Amino acid sequence: MRSVLIGVFVVSASVAASAADPVPKYAEHQDLSYFVDASGQKQPIKTPADWVKRREQIAAWMQSVMGPLPKPDKPVPLEMKVEEEVVVGELLRKKISYQTDSTDRRVKAFLFLPKAGQASQPAILCLHQTIGIGKGEPAGQGGSPNLHYALHLAQRGFVTLAPDYPSFGEYSFDFAPAHGYTSGSMKAIYDNIRAVDLLQSLPEVDKDRIGCIGHSLGGHNTMFTAFFEPRIKCLVSNCGFTRFHKYYGGALKGWTSARYMPLIDSRHHNSPDEVPFDFPEIVASFAPRPFLASSPIGDSNFEVSGVRDSIASASPIYELLGAADALQANYPNCAHDFPEEVRKVAYEFFDKHLKK
């Protein structure tokens, strides 16, 4: 069993238990006021230790859909290689590749470093949206200028890393079960965990000040990764989520491709009533770490009321852990985008929580 430290307490990241030792199911994913004990009784969440029990169950149910989080005793060496170096103003942009697991595909990424090579800078993992060029968009190599956040944040003094999601950019991946992953979501989560390993290995990075940001696909990729990776100390999701019941009126087919979670279709019949976890639980599970939900009221992909619901459900858990102000939401009047005034809020959130 792999355990991770969240805040001041330890949280199991084990896969859902077998039928002989079942994990209690929850029909009320918005109600985070209780946990179900071993006898099947509801118990109120009054202490951080009580929340640990509920969070362990959320982790188990997420893995029942995504597949188990890989937990090798000794991860494969990253073997980072630099393929290209380009000076961009006061920055050095490196195109790198590295190994994350035993598959034969190396992840490629753009890494922005200060040209002067200062040590101990905060770092941000920058995850791209659904776009063919993958990492190229956040790195400023094409796509929408509004989504060049790896470049923007590097210009603000952060080390940034923008990798390809499996099957995008230069990362060919067919999601075959033989690779050892139940879902594309879990493959991406583990790749991102190894990206944090890589950032922590760099002399330019302060290993205790690492954040994560993403838009759309990158927004929920950020959230899924941060759930399982406590070294991510601060995160921003832009246009990244809503409650499953409010995702296109509860039509979950968009979540079921090989890139995401096929079991939502084959096991849970594309029904939000059957999926055993939801975003209110995920948001609460970030506590006490700073989280900003950047959620436009005109987002046609992720309905904003489901974000408001999630923030309302998670707020009592943040309060319980003494971090009420760390949970923030921005509801700008725009569409599924990340315009300058919205980025400003997100970037200043990272400045506040990651810079000394």
Side-chain angles (χ1 to χ4, degrees):
M1 178 183 296
R2 180 180 184 270
S3 293
V4 295
L5 185 66
I6 302 290
V8 296
F9 47 87
V10 174
V11 175
S12 169
S14 62
V15 70
S18 68
D21 183 21
V23 176
K25 287 187 176 181
Y26 291 80
E28 304 147 320
H29 301 293
Q30 283 184 263
D31 186 353
L32 303 178
S33 66
Y34 71 95
F35 70 93
V36 177
D37 65 19
S39 65
Q41 300 300 307
K42 291 183 178 181
Q43 301 294 340
I45 292 175
K46 295 181 177 180
T47 69
D50 294 333
W51 171 242
V52 168
K53 297 180 176 67
R54 178 72 181 261
R55 194 188 190 282
E56 287 180 332
Q57 294 163 349
I58 297 165
W61 285 117
M62 287 177 69
Q63 288 175 93
S64 79
V65 177
M66 296 178 175
L69 178 71
K71 44 188 183 294
D73 292 333
K74 186 176 181 181
V76 301
L78 290 164
E79 296 181 345
M80 188 185 95
K81 297 178 182 178
V82 178
E83 301 184 1
E84 173 187 273
E85 290 190 5
V86 177
V87 174
V88 181
E90 297 301 313
L91 304 170
L92 183 62
R93 187 187 73 220
K94 295 186 179 185
K95 183 179 178 182
I96 64 171
S97 67
Y98 51 95
Q99 195 74 25
T100 61
D101 57 22
S102 58
T103 61
D104 60 357
R105 297 288 186 271
R106 292 173 62 83
V107 177
K108 294 191 177 184
F110 284 113
L111 172 67
F112 284 92
L113 298 168
K115 190 167 60 175
Q118 302 102 311
S120 296
Q121 303 300 304
I124 300 178
L125 180 62
C126 300
L127 306 178
H128 65 77
Q129 68 160 335
T130 300
I131 188 170
I133 63 172
K135 64 186 179 299
E137 185 170 56
Q141 300 298 290
S144 170
N146 284 345
L147 299 175
H148 293 175
Y149 36 84
L151 174 60
H152 298 158
L153 287 162
Q155 291 169 334
R156 294 177 73 95
F158 296 95
V159 172
T160 61
L161 180 67
D164 283 324
Y165 190 101
S167 77
F168 290 98
E170 299 178 273
Y171 193 176
S172 60
F173 196 81
D174 61 9
F175 302 102
H179 298 312
Y181 295 90
T182 300
S183 70
S185 294
M186 185 53 74
K187 169 60 174 165
I189 289 166
Y190 189 64
D191 282 351
N192 294 335
I193 288 172
R194 298 309 317 277
V196 175
D197 290 341
L198 188 146
L199 285 170
Q200 288 196 322
S201 75
L202 300 175
E204 297 87 354
V205 171
D206 181 339
K207 63 177 62 179
D208 295 321
R209 292 188 289 155
I210 295 176
C212 192
I213 187 173
H215 168 75
S216 197
L217 163 64
H220 43 264
N221 191 13
T222 291
M223 297 173 72
F224 294 158
T225 300
F227 182 96
F228 292 104
E229 181 45 86
R231 293 175 297 174
I232 293 173
K233 302 300 186 183
C234 178
L235 62 151
V236 173
S237 174
N238 185 69
C239 300
F241 74 104
T242 189
R243 287 178 52 219
F244 285 134
H245 282 85
K246 294 188 175 181
Y247 179 77
Y248 292 103
L252 302 186
K253 197 67 176 178
W255 285 107
T256 65
S257 74
R259 285 172 172 164
Y260 287 113
M261 295 168 278
L263 290 183
I264 287 179
D265 183 5
S266 62
R267 181 179 294 169
H268 301 293
H269 312 103
N270 294 321
S271 170
D273 291 330
E274 293 188 29
V275 178
F277 69 93
D278 205 349
F279 282 95
E281 296 166 307
I282 294 173
V283 173
S285 294
F286 300 143
R289 294 173 292 171
F291 171 59
L292 172 65
S294 179
S295 303
I297 61 176
D299 189 343
S300 60
N301 290 33
F302 297 102
E303 209 281 325
V304 69
S305 71
V307 178
R308 295 183 189 273
D309 293 344
S310 299
I311 298 299
S313 293
S315 292
I317 302 302
Y318 268 82
E319 292 171 5
L320 176 69
L321 299 183
D325 292 341
L327 179 61
Q328 298 291 322
N330 184 29
Y331 303 111
N333 186 12
C334 65
H336 188 79
D337 199 359
F338 203 16
E340 182 177 6
E341 64 274 15
V342 184
R343 296 196 307 273
K344 182 176 185 290
V345 174
Y347 297 170
E348 290 178 351
F349 190 77
F350 282 125
D351 289 347
K352 176 180 178 180
H353 293 289
L354 290 181
K355 290 183 177 179
K356 291 182 178 177

